[in-house]
Amino acid sequence: MQKNTKTYTVIDSTFLNPKAKHIALQSLDETLPAFIPGQFITVHFDHQGKSYRRSYSIASIPGRDQSLDFAASYVENGPGSDYLFALTAGDRVELSGPFGRLVLKEESVKRLFLIATGTGITPYRAMLPALTTLMQETGTHVKIIQGVQFRHDVLYAADFLAWAAENPGLAEYHTYLSREDLSVSQANHEKSGYVQQSLSDATATEDVVYLCGNPFMIDAAFAQLQAIGFASSQIRREKYISSK
């Protein structure tokens, strides 16, 4: 075991789409770490004689998932991808954490925009129970927006759609598909284009925005929000750098 890590056992390793896997872990003592939804863990592993670390947001839904879940995207010829995508049930993994500050704050705002691309959607999955409580207690309207290229790239859509259906009038979930042809078939939650388009009605005096995922998306959205008067304190960001 590496220093400051804890050993977990893989209990599930399932493809979410052709280039992303859902990995579920259980600690040897069968306890979950005390994490705040939005935080991440770091995987420690050796590959071809070298030691590596890769960080992933926790996707576990508190109160429902009894495992430590995360999603990983495949990067061609990457040691992290080679390691994670080869994991099968029973394998052991060394983790440290949780870490990170992309967590919900105790605040009353009119609307929350939670925007993500790729696996940047995973921390919002972990936040679903807390978001439900927030909406019920404060009346805050919450929009979760996921951006991908094609429909088959979407992650955890069933969880977000169920959450939106259970909280009508307060919760919304949309996917923005940048390369999918929606002229033939389109679900109610699907839109053509990029997630930044969802910010067209954001208001600096009433809203707070979370951004997670592709750095280019985050930089573009941040500049767009600042241009309409958002202060930096109203924009929470976590960039996902594609690491091999």
Side-chain angles (χ1 to χ4, degrees):
M1 179 186 294
Q2 299 188 47
K3 187 177 181 181
N4 298 322
T5 64
K6 186 174 181 179
T7 303
Y8 287 76
T9 301
V10 177
I11 58 176
D12 185 35
S13 179
T14 307
F15 277 98
L16 293 167
N17 64 41
K19 293 185 177 181
K21 262 197 166 185
H22 171 90
I23 298 172
L25 307 173
Q26 186 175 69
S27 65
L28 296 184
D29 59 10
E30 298 187 357
T31 61
L32 279 173
F35 73 93
I36 302 172
Q39 290 187 308
F40 64 88
I41 46 86
T42 297
V43 179
H44 300 251
F45 64 97
D46 295 326
H47 181 76
Q48 297 181 349
K50 295 183 179 180
S51 295
Y52 294 89
R53 295 183 298 175
R54 295 290 184 267
S55 296
Y56 303 92
S57 290
I58 298 170
S60 306
I61 299 178
R64 190 184 86 178
D65 295 339
Q66 299 305 311
S67 56
L68 183 65
D69 303 341
F70 65 93
S73 294
Y74 184 77
V75 179
E76 189 172 0
N77 299 320
S81 296
D82 289 345
Y83 172 73
L84 291 173
F85 277 65
L87 291 175
T88 59
D91 289 340
R92 293 192 174 184
V93 179
E94 299 295 323
L95 303 182
S96 61
F99 310 106
R101 296 179 295 176
L102 189 77
V103 299
L104 290 174
K105 294 186 177 182
E106 293 185 5
E107 57 189 345
S108 179
V109 296
K110 182 178 179 180
R111 288 181 301 185
L112 280 182
F113 290 76
L114 277 64
I115 296 176
T117 53
T119 53
I121 196 69
T122 54
Y124 304 154
R125 182 179 187 259
M127 291 178 184
L128 290 178
L131 290 169
T132 298
T133 299
L134 175 69
M135 291 185 298
Q136 292 174 348
E137 292 182 350
T138 67
T140 297
H141 190 106
V142 180
K143 294 185 176 185
I144 296 180
I145 315 293
Q146 179 172 184
V148 294
Q149 293 183 341
F150 298 99
R151 186 179 287 117
H152 64 241
D153 296 324
V154 175
L155 305 179
Y156 302 119
D159 294 309
F160 295 114
L161 287 169
W163 165 81
E166 292 166 1
N167 298 279
L170 289 175
E172 293 183 40
Y173 168 68
H174 301 288
T175 57
Y176 277 75
L177 309 173
S178 62
R179 297 190 181 181
E180 188 78 41
D181 181 5
L182 297 182
S183 63
V184 178
S185 176
Q186 179 179 353
N188 290 335
H189 68 282
E190 292 179 338
K191 299 179 182 293
S192 180
Y194 297 91
V195 290
Q196 297 94 302
Q197 296 168 221
S198 68
L199 295 171
S200 60
D201 66 338
T203 304
T205 56
E206 299 178 312
D207 303 332
V208 166
V209 179
Y210 286 69
L211 303 170
C212 190
N214 184 290
F216 298 103
M217 177 279 288
I218 290 177
D219 289 343
F222 186 80
Q224 178 181 341
L225 290 166
Q226 286 202 311
I228 59 174
F230 274 76
S232 296
S233 60
Q234 295 173 269
I235 311 168
R236 290 80 194 258
R237 300 172 287 174
E238 186 164 284
K239 296 181 179 180
Y240 278 26
I241 306 299
S242 180
S243 57
K244 297 181 178 181

Coordinates of all heavy atoms in Angstrom, one line a residue, residues 4 10 20 22 32 40 73 77 86 90 94 136 138-139 195 206 241 244:
N4 N -0.5 7.0 2.8 CA -1.7 7.8 2.9 C -2.8 7.4 1.9 O -3.6 8.2 1.4 CB -1.4 9.3 2.6 CG -0.5 9.9 3.7 OD1 -0.6 9.5 4.8 ND2 0.5 10.7 3.2
V10 N -12.7 -3.7 -6.3 CA -13.7 -3.4 -7.4 C -14.8 -4.3 -7.3 O -14.7 -5.5 -7.3 CB -13.0 -3.5 -8.8 CG1 -14.0 -3.3 -9.9 CG2 -11.8 -2.6 -8.9
A20 N -16.3 5.5 -22.0 CA -16.4 5.8 -20.5 C -16.9 4.6 -19.7 O -17.8 3.9 -20.1 CB -17.3 7.0 -20.3
H22 N -18.0 3.2 -15.7 CA -18.5 3.4 -14.4 C -17.8 2.4 -13.5 O -17.8 1.2 -13.8 CB -20.0 3.2 -14.2 CG -20.5 3.2 -12.8 ND1 -20.9 4.4 -12.2 CD2 -20.7 2.2 -12.0 CE1 -21.3 4.1 -11.0 NE2 -21.2 2.8 -10.8
L32 N -17.7 3.6 3.7 CA -17.5 4.7 2.7 C -16.7 5.8 3.4 O -16.9 6.1 4.6 CB -18.8 5.2 2.2 CG -19.5 4.4 1.1 CD1 -20.9 5.0 0.9 CD2 -18.8 4.4 -0.2
F40 N -13.5 14.8 -5.0 CA -12.9 13.8 -5.8 C -12.0 12.9 -5.0 O -11.5 13.3 -3.9 CB -12.2 14.4 -7.0 CG -11.0 15.3 -6.6 CD1 -9.7 14.8 -6.5 CD2 -11.2 16.7 -6.5 CE1 -8.6 15.6 -6.1 CE2 -10.1 17.5 -6.1 CZ -8.8 16.9 -5.9
S73 N -13.0 8.4 -18.4 CA -13.0 8.4 -19.8 C -11.8 7.8 -20.4 O -10.7 7.9 -19.7 CB -13.1 9.9 -20.4 OG -14.4 10.4 -20.0
N77 N -3.7 5.2 -25.4 CA -2.3 5.0 -25.0 C -2.0 5.7 -23.7 O -0.8 5.9 -23.4 CB -1.4 5.6 -26.1 CG -1.5 4.9 -27.4 OD1 -1.7 3.6 -27.5 ND2 -1.5 5.6 -28.5
A86 N -8.9 -1.9 -17.5 CA -8.6 -3.4 -17.4 C -9.1 -3.9 -16.1 O -9.0 -5.2 -15.8 CB -7.0 -3.6 -17.5
G90 N -13.1 -7.8 -8.1 CA -12.2 -8.5 -7.3 C -10.8 -7.8 -7.2 O -10.0 -8.1 -6.3
E94 N -5.8 1.4 -4.9 CA -5.3 2.3 -3.8 C -5.8 3.7 -4.1 O -5.6 4.2 -5.2 CB -3.8 2.3 -3.7 CG -3.2 0.9 -3.4 CD -3.6 0.4 -2.1 OE1 -3.7 1.2 -1.1 OE2 -3.8 -0.8 -1.9
Q136 N -36.5 22.0 -2.0 CA -37.7 21.9 -1.2 C -37.7 22.9 0.0 O -38.7 23.4 0.4 CB -37.8 20.5 -0.6 CG -38.1 19.4 -1.6 CD -38.0 18.0 -1.1 OE1 -37.5 17.8 0.0 NE2 -38.5 17.1 -1.9
T138 N -35.8 25.9 0.0 CA -35.6 27.3 -0.3 C -36.4 27.8 -1.6 O -36.5 28.9 -1.9 CB -34.1 27.6 -0.6 OG1 -33.7 26.9 -1.7 CG2 -33.3 27.2 0.6
G139 N -36.9 26.8 -2.4 CA -37.6 27.1 -3.6 C -36.6 27.4 -4.7 O -37.0 27.9 -5.8
V195 N -23.3 23.7 -24.3 CA -23.9 24.0 -23.0 C -23.9 25.5 -22.7 O -24.8 26.0 -22.0 CB -23.2 23.3 -21.9 CG1 -23.5 21.8 -22.0 CG2 -21.7 23.5 -21.9
E206 N -29.3 37.2 -9.5 CA -30.1 36.2 -8.9 C -29.6 34.8 -8.9 O -30.0 33.9 -8.2 CB -31.5 36.1 -9.5 CG -32.3 37.4 -9.3 CD -33.7 37.4 -10.0 OE1 -33.7 36.9 -11.2 OE2 -34.7 37.7 -9.4
I241 N -8.7 18.3 -16.8 CA -7.6 18.2 -17.8 C -7.5 16.7 -18.2 O -7.4 15.8 -17.4 CB -6.2 18.6 -17.2 CG1 -6.4 20.0 -16.6 CG2 -5.2 18.6 -18.2 CD1 -6.8 21.1 -17.6
K244 N -3.4 11.3 -19.3 CA -3.2 9.9 -19.7 C -2.8 9.0 -18.5 O -2.9 7.8 -18.6 CB -2.2 9.8 -20.8 CG -2.6 10.5 -22.1 CD -1.5 10.4 -23.1 CE -1.9 11.0 -24.4 NZ -0.8 10.9 -25.5

